[in-house]
Amino acid sequence: MPETPHSAPPSNVKAMPSLIPLPADTVSRLSRLSFTFALLAKDLLVCEKASNNVAPLWYSAPLLSRGKPAAGVLFSRSCYDALTMTSPRKTSSLPLWVFKLSLLAAAAIWGLGTVVIKSTVDEFPPSWIVGIRFFGAGILLALVGLPSLKRALQTSPASHLGAGAILGVFLFFSYWCNTTGLTDTTASNSAFLTTFYVMIIPFLGWFLLKKQPTRYNIGAAFACLAGLACVAYGGEGTFSLRFGDLITLLSAVFLSLHVLYTAKLSPGHSVTVLTIVQFLVAGLMGIGSGLLLEPTPDFANLSQETWISLGYLTVFASCIALGLQNAAVARVDPAQASLFLSLEAVFGVLFSVMFLAETPTPTALLGFGLIFAAIVVSEYLPLQAQKRLEKEAQVAACEVPVSGKAAATTDGDGPAANEESYGVAPENLAAAEAAQLASEETQAAIEDAQALEQSDAFLR
């Protein structure tokens, strides 16, 4: 999409008086910057699609079957196209770099979220963190999506509540495992080990949906295993994973289940209501397990830092970053968007070094690099390969002028008749068909990558 120059602030708007005298050009720049962010905030007010069976971006289903629903539970490709390629929200007065910056900001918010949990989990027990975070986020989203909530509860309350409750159970266990793991591992380890769900989903989908992984999935899995071995390397030929590392890997399994069941349960439901219900269910499960299994926090004497951390996880990591991602991913090329969002783990390591003074070993850094490479293989390369194959198919299937030789053939047989009938030379038609067949495996990997790109925001 070509970049569109942003609109200038209205000329009749006067600058607010400043307590500190500023040069005129500085005031003008600040005015334009504030106007740009005001337009972005306006653009983030995303409305739900009128049709309930078309899911918003963070609910795009993985493991699509080339546009045809598999086992009656998966979205068609048109759901994604309707929201990313033909949606009227794709037009904006903001330049494209603003949306790319929004994706980068969302990845940074989620990366910092891991560091915030690590710094909070010693004072605030894991179940309570999950409970307060998601119950608070559910209340906020319920207030924002109150009209949708009323409509859904009037038409099909049992269906929405049942589906949302199932997703809420998976959501709770995934985040409870992840938060508990941070009591016994570093934030940098957690940031990268959690991304294993990107590689687990294709193989779990193979078991549940009988859909074989692609060569990109297999290559990414080997790179991930090599990265895990580097993280587990303890020196002198020893390998060990701590309890926190293992339970973090278990959280990746639950995240994978959450993505797959989101694909199964979302069609026919209001996804806004499903999000609200599962947030509330996960929050209530966290508070309930905290009451049963963990000491109750002394809320009256909590430090200001703990309250700020809980507010950050509830408002920024669970709501604002989601809005940034959804507004941006409809306008940014999917391959670029997947790279921006995959930087979450990199931000997690960077912030853990900056704020927690963690010092990953050289072998751990090598492992992080391999895991990040696996994410790129799984999400970015299929998109690039598909672009190349589509271009080759277009060149191979280009129209050929019908010559006098073609017109001379009157019996309807032979190559000339094929050219006259189809407007495509037979050898080019065969090449186009071969290119289309070669792209099938790549297309499946692309759809997985696009779904993971959207689901990552919702899950984090």
Side-chain angles (χ1 to χ4, degrees):
M1 171 181 170
E3 298 192 11
T4 306
H6 64 273
S7 303
S11 58
N12 60 346
V13 176
K14 296 182 179 180
M16 292 291 292
S18 176
L19 297 178
I20 303 175
L22 296 174
D25 60 336
T26 302
V27 173
S28 176
R29 291 175 183 176
L30 290 175
S31 177
R32 289 179 177 271
L33 183 61
S34 62
F35 186 72
T36 299
F37 278 104
L39 288 175
L40 178 60
K42 175 185 176 183
D43 201 65
L44 294 182
L45 298 177
V46 180
C47 296
E48 183 178 322
K49 302 292 281 185
S51 176
N52 286 338
N53 63 351
V54 179
L57 297 176
W58 67 92
Y59 263 88
S60 295
L63 306 176
L64 303 184
S65 180
R66 296 177 57 233
K68 185 176 182 180
V73 299
L74 300 180
F75 293 134
S76 67
R77 176 66 182 269
S78 61
C79 292
Y80 182 86
D81 293 338
L83 288 162
T84 59
M85 304 303 174
T86 62
S87 171
R89 292 190 294 108
K90 196 176 180 72
T91 303
S92 174
S93 59
L94 295 176
L96 188 60
W97 65 263
V98 173
F99 297 102
K100 294 180 179 180
L101 187 62
S102 298
L103 289 174
L104 194 65
I109 290 173
W110 290 316
L112 182 58
T114 301
V115 175
V116 170
I117 295 174
K118 176 64 178 177
S119 63
T120 308
V121 76
D122 291 334
E123 183 179 357
F124 211 78
S127 295
W128 285 99
I129 290 179
V130 176
I132 297 298
R133 171 183 182 174
F134 284 109
F135 189 77
I139 294 297
L140 290 176
L141 290 179
L143 294 175
V144 174
L146 190 58
S148 298
L149 185 61
K150 289 181 178 179
R151 286 194 303 268
L153 295 181
Q154 288 173 355
T155 56
S156 55
S159 179
H160 281 87
L161 293 176
I166 293 173
L167 296 178
V169 171
F170 286 122
L171 188 67
F172 165 73
F173 280 111
S174 62
Y175 276 87
W176 180 84
C177 289
N178 185 271
T179 306
T180 301
L182 280 166
T183 62
D184 191 50
T185 191
T186 62
S188 53
N189 276 21
S190 178
F192 272 97
L193 294 180
T194 303
T195 61
F196 261 65
Y197 82 90
V198 175
M199 273 58 70
I200 293 174
I201 283 179
F203 296 93
L204 195 59
W206 188 14
F207 176 75
L208 296 176
L209 305 175
K210 311 303 180 185
K211 183 175 186 294
Q212 291 187 357
T214 67
R215 65 179 183 270
Y216 295 101
N217 302 140
I218 295 173
F222 278 112
C224 260
L225 290 176
L228 182 62
C230 292
V231 173
Y233 181 70
E236 299 180 358
T238 61
F239 294 85
S240 64
L241 288 174
R242 302 172 63 170
F243 167 77
D245 297 325
L246 293 174
I247 199 170
T248 300
L249 290 173
L250 181 60
S251 77
V253 175
F254 280 113
L255 286 175
S256 304
L257 288 170
H258 184 276
V259 172
L260 291 172
Y261 275 89
T262 295
K264 178 177 181 179
L265 299 175
S266 293
H269 294 93
S270 166
V271 292
T272 300
V273 177
L274 284 185
T275 305
I276 294 170
V277 172
Q278 66 183 293
F279 274 14
L280 293 176
V281 168
L284 290 174
M285 289 183 66
I287 294 172
S289 60
L291 289 171
L292 293 175
L293 304 175
E294 296 173 350
T296 303
D298 186 1
F299 289 96
N301 295 317
L302 287 179
S303 65
Q304 182 180 6
E305 290 77 10
T306 301
W307 283 114
I308 292 175
S309 297
L310 293 174
Y312 178 88
L313 294 174
T314 301
V315 178
F316 285 88
S318 300
C319 296
I320 291 181
L322 181 66
L324 289 171
Q325 190 263 357
N326 287 337
V329 78
R331 299 165 177 84
V332 178
D333 178 76
Q336 297 179 17
S338 66
L339 277 183
F340 280 117
L341 293 174
S342 66
L343 291 175
E344 174 195 340
V346 177
F347 279 117
V349 174
L350 177 63
F351 290 140
S352 68
V353 173
M354 291 174 57
F355 300 117
L356 302 179
E358 293 183 358
T359 54
T361 64
T363 53
L365 290 175
L366 176 60
F368 298 156
L370 288 171
I371 295 172
F372 182 75
I375 298 173
V376 174
V377 169
S378 181
E379 297 192 18
Y380 179 75
L381 293 186
L383 295 170
Q384 294 298 97
Q386 177 65 10
K387 287 183 178 180
R388 186 183 68 253
L389 290 173
E390 287 177 351
K391 289 181 180 179
E392 292 175 356
Q394 289 174 357
V395 172
C398 63
E399 292 187 358
V400 179
V402 180
S403 63
K405 180 181 178 181
T409 303
T410 59
D411 58 1
D413 298 327
N418 286 334
E419 282 192 40
E420 189 174 45
S421 300
Y422 300 105
V424 180
E427 61 273 15
N428 287 345
L429 182 61
E433 292 176 349
Q436 178 64 29
L437 291 175
S439 69
E440 290 183 359
E441 184 176 346
T442 303
Q443 177 65 28
I446 288 168
E447 291 165 341
D448 293 351
Q450 291 172 336
L452 288 170
E453 171 194 321
Q454 319 308 331
S455 300
D456 188 56
F458 173 74
L459 294 174
R460 297 299 294 166

